[in-house]
Amino acid sequence: MSPFVLTGALNGTCPLLLASPHSGMHLPAAFLARARLPVPALRRMEDLHVGKLLAPAAALGVPLLEATHSRAVIDLNRAEDELDPEMFDAEITPQPRVSDRVRRGYGLFPRLAGPNQPIHASRLSAAAGAEQIDRLHRPWHAAIAGGLAAARSHHGYAVLLDIHSMPSLEGRLPAQLVLGDLGGRSAAPALVEWLHDAFTAQGLRVARNVPYAGGHITERHGQPQAGVHTVQLEFDRALYMHAQTLRPHAGFAALAATIGIVMEAILAALPGMGLRPGLPLAAE
């Protein structure tokens, strides 16, 4: 199975690219054979229905990359070396880097589905892990990099919006959308300000970087000094689906339409944001 489904073309015609790395649902038989959690528990790790939420935006001609495999299998929003060596039956390549995300159980191959919810009943095959990195992780990021490079070549700049969903935040009137730009390091302020204002005008409560500032996709592909701008968007799942059944509710169509309206508007606004680079694009 392909690591992603592409709607549209990564030929650079459109300066905007949408990515949904956590909405994949494929759980291979070999994975299920060693999983200790039932499938419904694994589904709660995924950004269910996000790809469908983006369908109106993709219909505008904005290319959309959707992961095919479940986040429980491999997390495309982690670096390929964010590995827990204790999870494998032998040494694995690349050399593991035990980041904070790995220590918490949420590395490239997640150890936990949530607090006190170990996913695997046995150690993983190091050989199979290396194969999945080569077959699933690298093509995903190569497609993003290629699409952004083509858009930058065509327009002088490129924009990646990395779309996720999040559990409802706590507090009185919590944010319904969190924009993550690594505290200003992955995108031009003008772009983030525009997104903040546009979604606020559509009635959403919008926050920035807290509690989600961005993951590996934002870190890897955001090069605003080179004209490549990446923003992570986390939408509250309660806006469009039931927390218990994980099924879309009546708000789904409204949120999909809102995203489509904002994406149509941003296509018109991007040329005036001053997103062209000051430095060459770094090598992938």
Side-chain angles (χ1 to χ4, degrees), residues 9-262:
L10 298 176
N11 57 13
T13 303
C14 181
L16 180 63
L17 169 61
L18 303 178
S20 177
H22 289 161
S23 57
M25 299 181 66
H26 180 58
L27 295 164
F31 173 91
L32 290 172
R34 65 168 184 271
R36 62 187 298 172
L37 291 177
V39 169
L42 299 172
R43 290 280 175 249
R44 293 185 179 279
M45 299 181 65
E46 301 164 356
D47 291 345
L48 290 172
H49 316 300
V50 165
K52 295 182 179 66
L53 277 176
L54 300 175
L60 299 170
V62 180
L64 167 62
L65 277 173
E66 300 176 66
T68 53
H69 287 65
S70 170
R71 183 184 184 184
V73 176
I74 188 168
D75 190 337
L76 300 174
N77 202 25
R78 300 291 181 262
E80 65 178 61
D81 63 350
E82 286 189 278
L83 300 164
D84 182 348
E86 298 300 318
M87 291 179 61
F88 298 94
D89 62 2
E91 291 186 8
I92 187 169
T93 302
Q95 181 67 34
R97 175 173 58 90
V98 183
S99 65
D100 179 63
R101 292 182 287 224
V102 172
R103 282 189 288 271
R104 290 187 287 112
Y106 306 110
L108 179 67
F109 299 104
R111 177 169 51 84
L112 301 175
N116 302 311
Q117 294 184 65
I119 296 172
H120 304 283
S122 60
R123 293 197 177 204
L124 309 185
S125 162
E131 186 272 336
Q132 287 181 347
I133 291 171
D134 188 60
R135 180 170 54 87
L136 301 176
H137 189 273
R138 290 173 182 163
W140 168 267
H141 287 279
I144 289 177
L148 292 174
R152 182 183 180 276
S153 177
H154 194 278
H155 298 277
Y157 63 90
V159 174
L160 169 64
L161 299 182
D162 182 35
I163 315 294
H164 298 257
S165 67
M166 64 180 181
S168 297
L169 301 177
E170 297 181 354
R172 184 176 177 273
L173 297 178
Q176 298 166 308
L177 168 62
V178 178
L179 304 175
D181 66 347
L182 303 178
R185 292 186 288 112
S186 70
L191 172 61
V192 185
E193 289 280 354
W194 191 96
L195 289 166
H196 180 280
D197 293 347
F199 279 108
T200 298
Q202 291 296 317
L204 297 185
R205 297 187 297 272
V206 184
R208 298 190 210 177
N209 293 309
V210 179
Y212 304 108
H216 175 64
I217 291 173
T218 317
E219 296 161 355
R220 177 168 177 169
H221 297 287
Q223 298 183 45
Q225 74 285 355
V228 178
H229 307 265
T230 302
V231 184
Q232 178 178 282
L233 285 74
E234 294 269 4
F235 289 96
D236 184 352
R237 292 171 186 164
L239 290 169
Y240 70 91
M241 76 176 185
H242 296 285
Q244 295 305 314
T245 65
L246 306 182
R247 293 176 180 171
H249 57 52
F252 182 92
L255 181 58
T258 290
I259 295 171
I261 289 169
V262 173

